[in-house]
């Protein structure tokens, strides 16, 4: 996928699942900086998913 192509609903659902697993420890321990970045990315992913409706 190139940067010019919009990301679809399936992409954002996968991204949300990945980030939630990361935050829940499903992929090992994360430090506080990574946790903060994941939380912000999760918020953005949810906004983008809702925009795809």
């Amino acid at each position: 996928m190139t940067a010019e192509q919009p990301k679809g609903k399936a992409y954002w659902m996968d991204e949300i699942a990945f980030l939630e697993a990361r935050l829940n420890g499903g992929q090992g321990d994360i430090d506080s900086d990574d946790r903060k970045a994941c939380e912000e990315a999760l918020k953005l992913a949810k906004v983008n998913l809702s925009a795809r409706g």
Side-chain angles (χ1 to χ4, degrees), residues 16-45:
I16 289 167
F18 168 80
L19 291 165
E20 287 176 341
R22 184 80 176 117
L23 287 168
N24 292 326
Q27 298 170 342
D29 294 334
I30 61 173
D31 63 26
S32 62
D33 289 338
D34 192 22
R35 177 171 293 282
K36 183 181 266 188
C38 283
E39 289 170 346
E40 290 300 316
L42 181 59
K43 288 178 193 174
L44 182 58

